[in-house]
Amino acid sequence: MTDRPRILGALLMEHVGLDPAKLESALTTDRRPGERIGQTLVRLGAVSEEQVAQTLAAQLGLTFRAGPLEPAGEALEMVSPELCRRHGIVPIATRPRWITVAMHDPLDLRAIDDVQFQTGRHASPVITTRSAVEACLAGVPHADEAHRHEIPDPELTPRHADASCHEDDRDPSALDLTDLVAALPPQLRTGRPGSESIADVERDARRAPVVRLVDGIIQRAIQERASDIHIEETASEVRIRIRVDGVLRSAIDLPAGARRAVLSRLKVMAGMDISVRRRAQDGRITLAGERRPLTLRVNTLPTSAGEKAVVRILDGAAAPTNLSGLGMATGDLTRLRRLLETGEGVVLAAGPTGSGKSTTLFAALSEIDREKKNVITVEDPVEYRLAGASQVHVDRRAGLDFADALRAILRQDPDVVMVGEIRDRETAEIAMAAAVTGHLVLSTIHATDAPGAVTRLLHMGVPPFLVAGGLAGVIAQRLVRRSCTLCRGSGCDRCDRGLSGRTGVYQVLTVTDVIRDEISAGGSSARLRRLASDAGMKTLASDAQRAVAEGLTSPLEIGRILHSLSTTGRPCTACDDLVPYGAHGCPGCGRPVTRFCRCGSALEPQWRYCPMCVRPVTRT
């Protein structure tokens, strides 16, 4: 909606007899920068404030509400006084899922967004005069006055271990959340459980202090670049943790009495049923931020202690623009781009949950010409917005799963298809069949390394010939925390012990003809690793060491990755170093782990004769 002053001026001339000369003067010489035409006319005395408001209501098809305003107490309690004063609004009435807001500037869309975010309800504006708003807000106490009757008990106020610590030495974000907790009503702040009545819980969830606390927790997580917020009950309190760069860290502890109100507030915002506590629920919150919109996925889960909630923060506008920024080695990057340039086959991103697989696929899609190619994605949920691509959201409740969506997509004449995850045999077979018929299919799969992804497909029951014919390559990956670019790893106030943000370590397997033959024959993981290594594939551990050598991360950080990859080998009996499966000797001490006959055949430990040349085995 945009401000159209000439139309408003014409309506004022028609309805209230505005002098055309005064209108022309207001539009040209007398209008101040940033001033709306109605404000200018009122300042010049050409029309009254009420006449402008009534005409604007008629222009926009909204209701006009004359002063004095008489807001309902429940409506005022749902919106903080600070927000009302900042935007010049008065919440005057509520009904299920709606709140009516009186405002003198109905074109202030940010005010509408802020009200909807804070209340979890749709905002319905009515038009009034600026003086009516100011007169009403003059009788509304400020936040500090509103909570004077809720001064925290000194014994319950969080204290620092060092009594001489100055307040300015505390972390500002932590200080804000602590103050918000202190402003909670006494029955929530003391830790005593509140009423089990649904009506009471809903009223608590809509109290301004609870609203501000939940908003503060979300804003704290966004400011610290968190990917998730965890809200869980412990023995005597509620623990709030956020995941930053893959690591959970404590944000604040809440009194146990606030748990129901905080969880119910999240449920209201996410469109969930606050009365349901004994089954899992999923919801979604859309935040209209100043710089970019964010989506929050909310999931609640019943536990022995009550309920636990996890909020996943998704930035749809943060899609990577190319593969170069992922931290991939030059050789691996070249091999991956060659796989994409062929335009056919299945390319899988493999790794555990949270290893950046989707980010890698969207970086790959960003380098594909989406003007000349038909690119379609099917995801659960849609994480990144990709211009020029058709993106489908899986909805199992409506009967649309990955397999059904993929079948439908293949009838849409696609060139490139991205499937969020291969979870079952049916989806895998459809993807492989599509690749065989000339489509480029990108997807993710849970596997420890690239050869393990091939084995996973075979274990799903996908026919070996279909995997061999459809699979083009696999990118296995892990995420490690990146060395801070400001302090270069030495530690500063903008990083965590020299680490800030994340980069990836990768392993790229290109399916060659020899590997296809091995897959068709149902070859073992060890044999596949050996053939892939011969074709140029490196290990994840070696790429992690490469990331350290290039200064992308720290030795301490990759120690965690190397430890998690220990299952891809076995310890040497001589030096305890890790021997990769399929290797003939220890890379640490050189001790052979496989015996060979003089004819070159590998020998099992219990064999007395070589099965190939029937020579007696020499014991060593």
Side-chain angles (χ1 to χ4, degrees), residues 88-141:
I89 61 173
V90 177
I92 57 175
T94 64
R95 59 183 190 275
R97 297 198 175 277
W98 288 87
I99 182 168
T100 302
V101 181
M103 52 197 311
H104 60 82
D105 184 4
L107 302 178
D108 186 355
L109 300 183
R110 181 170 294 179
I112 298 292
D113 288 341
D114 286 351
V115 169
Q116 292 181 153
F117 172 64
Q118 189 168 103
T119 64
R121 298 191 179 192
H122 297 290
S124 174
V126 298
I127 297 179
T128 188
T129 62
R130 181 188 295 270
S131 58
V133 170
E134 292 175 348
C136 183
L137 292 180
V140 177

Side-chain angles (χ1 to χ4, degrees), residues 225-469:
R225 303 176 294 103
S227 60
D228 301 89
I229 306 170
H230 289 240
I231 304 173
E232 53 195 333
E233 188 173 24
T234 61
S236 60
E237 55 193 11
V238 179
R239 179 170 60 173
I240 309 292
R241 295 186 295 170
I242 58 178
R243 188 180 296 278
V244 180
D245 294 338
V247 179
L248 276 174
R249 63 174 66 162
S250 176
I252 194 170
D253 291 335
L254 307 179
R259 175 182 60 86
R260 290 286 306 275
V262 169
L263 287 175
S264 296
R265 169 62 186 163
L266 276 175
K267 288 180 178 180
V268 169
M269 295 173 66
M272 299 157 69
D273 190 341
I274 67 170
S275 66
V276 174
R277 293 189 296 157
R278 300 188 180 277
R279 71 168 187 267
Q281 292 192 77
D282 290 292
R284 180 182 295 261
I285 304 170
T286 301
L287 304 182
E290 294 184 3
R291 290 180 291 179
R292 64 194 189 281
L294 298 175
T295 299
L296 309 184
R297 283 171 51 197
V298 184
N299 175 267
T300 61
L301 181 70
T303 68
S304 60
E307 277 186 294
K308 175 178 178 178
V310 174
V311 181
R312 169 65 57 88
I313 303 173
L314 301 174
D315 186 354
T321 57
N322 55 63
L323 289 165
S324 301
L326 298 182
M328 195 174 291
T330 303
D332 287 342
L333 183 59
T334 300
R335 280 189 285 272
L336 176 54
R337 282 176 168 154
R338 284 175 182 167
L339 290 174
L340 300 174
E341 288 168 0
T342 60
E344 59 183 29
V346 173
V347 178
L348 297 176
T353 301
S355 58
K357 300 185 296 294
S358 296
T359 300
T360 297
L361 294 189
F362 273 93
L365 289 174
S366 67
E367 295 197 355
I368 293 174
D369 188 347
R370 298 184 297 279
E371 290 294 326
K372 297 181 179 178
K373 293 184 181 294
N374 181 18
V375 178
I376 306 178
T377 74
V378 52
E379 306 166 65
D380 182 23
V382 175
E383 292 191 26
Y384 297 117
R385 299 294 177 183
L386 190 65
S390 301
Q391 296 179 264
V392 179
H393 173 64
V394 168
D395 189 350
R396 292 180 179 82
R397 289 178 294 183
L400 184 67
D401 58 16
F402 278 115
D404 294 328
L406 187 51
R407 287 194 194 93
I409 285 172
L410 294 177
R411 295 191 289 270
Q412 292 284 317
D413 186 32
D415 296 297
V416 182
V417 178
M418 196 279 275
V419 184
E421 182 181 350
I422 290 182
R423 298 179 177 177
D424 50 48
R425 172 180 175 176
E426 185 178 17
T427 306
E429 287 184 347
I430 298 172
M432 293 297 164
V436 170
T437 56
H439 299 88
L440 175 61
V441 181
L442 308 180
S443 190
T444 69
I445 192 169
H446 289 285
T448 56
D449 63 355
V454 180
T455 308
R456 175 80 192 282
L457 291 170
L458 297 175
H459 287 172
M460 282 183 182
V462 183
F465 75 89
L466 199 54
V467 177

